[in-house]
Amino acid sequence: MADNMKLKVVAPERIFYEGDVSFLELTTTEGDMGIYPNHIPLTAIIAPGVLRIHENGEVKEAALLSGFIQILQEEVTILAESVEWPDEIDANRAKEAEIRARRRIEEGSGVDMNRAELALKRALIRQSMTRI
């Protein structure tokens, strides 16, 4: 098991992914993170980004938009509030979300800027996943 670790990604409606992986990449609120087996124990808050799962010489990518990660030496658990494979993303809906977020940011006053910027980032990540 030294070359792999167990990964479980749990979304509200399903077990999104479960398997043995050799490496994992994702974005946290502290920055980008790469996780190999035997990583130091850690918990972190997930920020919008691309989840890259390295499994059997292949890389699977998904849009991971929010949640928490718990890292143990040979086991990683992601509790995702929102995670999607590229073929599950509606490109038109993502584009419309980008337009709405940009409009809110341009309006400025009376708008929760952090929320609008986060919505824009999520929309852009979803769109980038549909272009793969």
Side-chain angles (χ1 to χ4, degrees):
M1 192 71 170
D3 294 341
N4 286 315
M5 62 190 157
K6 297 236 180 263
L7 171 64
K8 187 171 189 176
V9 181
V10 181
E13 69 283 353
R14 64 183 167 156
I15 301 291
F16 180 79
Y17 178 89
E18 192 167 17
D20 291 335
V21 302
S22 58
F23 184 60
L24 184 65
E25 300 172 78
L26 69 147
T27 303
T28 71
T29 56
E30 300 298 316
D32 291 337
M33 181 180 284
I35 304 160
Y36 283 105
N38 299 313
H39 194 284
I40 60 167
L42 178 73
T43 57
I45 299 169
I46 293 168
V50 176
L51 171 65
R52 290 183 182 84
I53 301 168
H54 296 252
E55 172 190 70
N56 298 324
E58 293 182 27
V59 179
K60 297 178 180 181
E61 294 187 330
L64 178 59
L65 305 177
S66 59
F68 299 91
I69 183 169
Q70 176 189 41
I71 304 166
L72 303 174
Q73 283 193 328
E74 294 188 18
E75 183 179 336
V76 176
T77 303
I78 296 174
L79 300 177
E81 292 178 35
S82 180
V83 60
E84 302 163 299
W85 295 115
D87 62 351
E88 297 172 336
I89 297 170
D90 181 335
N92 291 329
R93 186 172 169 219
K95 183 63 179 171
E96 290 168 3
E98 175 195 2
I99 292 166
R100 282 192 310 273
R102 288 191 188 279
R103 194 175 308 133
R104 276 189 243 127
I105 290 168
E106 289 171 8
E107 288 172 5
S109 68
V111 173
D112 182 343
M113 276 306 203
N114 288 335
R115 188 172 171 206
E117 288 170 355
L118 193 58
L120 177 60
K121 188 167 187 173
R122 287 191 306 260
L124 293 174
I125 289 166
R126 281 186 170 117
Q127 288 180 66
S128 75
M129 297 300 297
T130 61
R131 294 186 202 120
I132 292 175

